[in-house]
Amino acid sequence: SHIYKKNRDVTKSWKGKSEQLLRVDDHDFTMRPAFGGPAIPVGVDVQVESLDSISEVDMDFTMTLYLRHYWKDERLSFPSTTNKSMTFDGRLVKKIWVPDVFFVHSKRSFIHDTTTDNIMLRVFPDGHVLYSMRITVTAMCNMDFSHFPLDSQTCSLELESYAYTDEDLMLYWKNGNESLKTDEKISLSQFLIQKFHTTSRLAFYSSTGWYNRLYISFTLRRHIFFFLLQTYFPATLMVMLSWVSFWIDHRAVPARVSLGITTVLTMSTIITGVNASMPRVSYIKAVDIYLWVSFVFVFLSVLEYAAVNYLTTVQERKERKLQERFPCTCGMPHSKTMMLDGNYSESDANSLAGYTRNQMVPEEEKQEKMVVHLALSNESNSSRRRGLKGHVGSRIIQNSHAIDNYSRFIFPGTYIFFNLIYWSVFS
């Protein structure tokens, strides 16, 4: 009861309604204050509550903000002994003059109305007015994707009077750069918000004249880690996987062909997935350069094996023709059979490689000798086991075509050089 006695209901002491106190019915509020005189200054400040989304496909952004206007309308002045302001909701706004500010290049916008219209009007005894709204607006943002995804984007929200030119209404930032405030919790999943700043310029329309325009500009830098995991790293792995075919025997046709086709199709899938989430711009993006160069490397690895297979087939065809023309194999390296008696040592046997038995012994000594092959004896088997590892490695080199040998160094070296140039230019 003590509280009610101290803070009595002052509305009972007023003889009329608030509209009568503000003399709303005594004036024509369809006209601006000081109509026919100089331009009325209208100060603006903005508090950004959130950046809801950035869409690369639609090239727009969505922002929720508190938009406040400050001006003086002497028609709303009222007598007051305490010099305190009066605060009203959106119902009084429809009966007085307010600035007709709109968002240039906006696609969609609305004033929040939960639980009631988020509009506040505060009137001071001397006629100064504060008009505040909570608005969500989706506006256009012209983005340049030439450096995507290593890019930075600058978007701006533009405010302007729709009907009043600069001769009737002068929009300005009330406190300069301090007129724009942002919530510290604003964050985006794909972008780092670098800075917000305000500017103002005059905009000219050929039919209506010059208008004051205010700009809320902000710079966004894209996070690269997501694209490293989803695009760059898989593309690099596919290129490296295509190099494995250079170490596979060129006679293993199914292995090398299936590996090449798999890497080509995977690169095509990655390129399609990246372009599906991007607008269809007519210029080349940075990610396009990387993906298409990687695709070319994978495709060249397939062509490399086609060249190896073709040249190998041509060489075998020539050797087959030579064998048909010269059927005698005397003295050929593959003729390893000879006649040895029991008195020959292993070193003597090795020195006789490549000679036939007709060349080694006369006909009458055939009964005293035995036919052996130039394979290592039991004493030499241990030395073969020791050199088995090196022998397998040498066979891999021997079974490789010369083009494969060069490709093992040319392809990785060229791709590393491309990566050095790419990241130094775009990062």
Side-chain angles (χ1 to χ4, degrees), residues 139-157:
M140 184 179 63
C141 178
N142 293 322
M143 301 182 183
D144 182 12
F145 297 106
S146 58
H147 284 69
F148 176 87
L150 306 168
D151 58 335
S152 295
Q153 303 293 342
T154 300
C155 301
S156 62
L157 185 63

Side-chain angles (χ1 to χ4, degrees), residues 153-181:
Q153 303 293 342
T154 300
C155 301
S156 62
L157 185 63
E158 306 172 12
L159 295 85
E160 182 181 306
S161 172
Y162 190 83
Y164 298 101
T165 64
D166 61 338
E167 297 178 354
D168 293 321
L169 189 146
M170 183 180 66
L171 279 178
Y172 69 98
W173 290 111
K174 187 175 185 297
N175 298 315
N177 291 330
E178 300 296 327
S179 301
L180 178 62
K181 297 181 180 180

Side-chain angles (χ1 to χ4, degrees), residues 50-110:
S50 64
L51 268 174
D52 301 322
S53 64
I54 306 291
S55 175
E56 291 89 354
V57 176
D58 298 327
M59 286 194 180
D60 59 24
F61 65 93
T62 302
M63 178 187 294
T64 300
L65 51 88
Y66 296 94
L67 178 61
R68 305 184 182 99
H69 306 81
Y70 302 86
W71 75 94
K72 185 177 181 180
D73 191 346
E74 294 182 353
R75 295 172 296 184
L76 296 177
S77 60
F78 61 92
S80 175
T81 56
T82 58
N83 199 28
K84 291 184 178 179
S85 62
M86 291 191 300
T87 303
F88 307 94
D89 57 18
R91 288 172 288 187
L92 183 61
V93 173
K94 301 177 182 178
K95 300 180 180 181
I96 65 173
W97 181 91
V98 293
D100 59 340
V101 174
F102 79 106
F103 297 100
V104 185
H105 302 145
S106 67
K107 297 181 178 180
R108 295 173 299 276
S109 61
F110 63 91

Side-chain angles (χ1 to χ4, degrees), residues 111-382:
I111 299 175
H112 289 258
D113 55 1
T114 306
T115 56
T116 59
D117 292 341
N118 296 171
I119 297 175
M120 186 268 289
L121 187 70
R122 183 171 295 168
V123 182
F124 294 86
D126 59 353
H128 280 88
V129 180
L130 166 59
Y131 176 43
S132 177
M133 297 175 289
R134 183 168 176 256
I135 303 174
T136 294
V137 56
T138 300
M140 184 179 63
C141 178
N142 293 322
M143 301 182 183
D144 182 12
F145 297 106
S146 58
H147 284 69
F148 176 87
L150 306 168
D151 58 335
S152 295
Q153 303 293 342
T154 300
C155 301
S156 62
L157 185 63
E158 306 172 12
L159 295 85
E160 182 181 306
S161 172
Y162 190 83
Y164 298 101
T165 64
D166 61 338
E167 297 178 354
D168 293 321
L169 189 146
M170 183 180 66
L171 279 178
Y172 69 98
W173 290 111
K174 187 175 185 297
N175 298 315
N177 291 330
E178 300 296 327
S179 301
L180 178 62
K181 297 181 180 180
T182 59
D183 194 332
E184 295 179 355
K185 297 181 181 179
I186 294 179
S187 62
L188 294 170
S189 59
Q190 293 190 23
F191 292 93
L192 172 65
I193 303 175
Q194 292 185 324
K195 64 177 180 178
F196 279 87
H197 64 278
T198 61
T199 54
S200 60
R201 289 195 295 268
L202 287 175
F204 177 74
Y205 297 90
S206 58
S207 301
T208 54
W210 293 89
Y211 294 81
N212 293 111
R213 182 177 295 182
L214 305 181
Y215 296 83
I216 302 172
S217 301
F218 54 95
T219 303
L220 306 172
R221 183 168 183 82
R222 197 183 305 274
H223 293 300
I224 186 60
F225 189 71
F226 171 81
F227 296 94
L228 287 177
L229 293 179
Q230 299 295 325
T231 303
Y232 287 97
F233 189 62
T236 303
L237 286 183
M238 287 300 104
V239 175
M240 296 174 65
L241 183 61
S242 67
W243 300 339
V244 176
S245 64
F246 303 150
W247 299 89
I248 301 177
D249 191 350
H250 65 273
R251 292 170 294 186
V253 178
R256 296 191 64 164
V257 170
S258 61
L259 182 61
I261 296 301
T262 301
T263 53
V264 169
L265 293 178
T266 305
M267 283 301 305
S268 301
T269 304
I270 295 175
I271 294 174
T272 303
V274 172
N275 291 329
S277 60
M278 294 296 299
R280 299 178 181 178
V281 294
S282 59
Y283 50 85
I284 299 177
K285 303 182 291 292
V287 68
D288 293 335
I289 296 175
Y290 192 90
L291 291 180
W292 279 105
V293 170
S294 300
F295 183 84
V296 169
F297 270 89
V298 172
F299 187 74
L300 287 178
S301 67
V302 179
L303 294 183
E304 185 269 349
Y305 177 63
V308 168
N309 192 32
Y310 174 76
L311 294 178
T312 302
T313 303
V314 172
Q315 184 178 0
E316 291 176 352
R317 188 181 298 116
K318 290 182 179 180
E319 292 178 356
R320 194 178 301 111
K321 290 182 179 180
L322 288 176
Q323 290 179 0
E324 292 175 356
R325 292 183 60 184
F326 304 100
C328 180
T329 59
C330 298
M332 300 297 287
H334 65 272
S335 181
K336 301 296 182 181
T337 304
M338 65 177 68
M339 300 298 296
L340 296 176
D341 59 8
N343 297 326
Y344 278 86
S345 64
E346 182 179 345
S347 60
D348 295 331
N350 293 334
S351 65
L352 297 177
Y355 294 90
T356 61
R357 59 184 181 178
N358 291 332
Q359 294 172 316
M360 295 297 301
V361 294
E363 191 71 19
E364 60 271 9
E365 296 181 1
K366 291 181 180 179
Q367 301 298 327
E368 299 177 358
K369 303 193 182 297
M370 55 184 300
V371 179
V372 298
H373 294 279
L374 281 180
L376 295 178
S377 62
N378 293 332
E379 293 82 2
S380 63
N381 283 341
S382 60

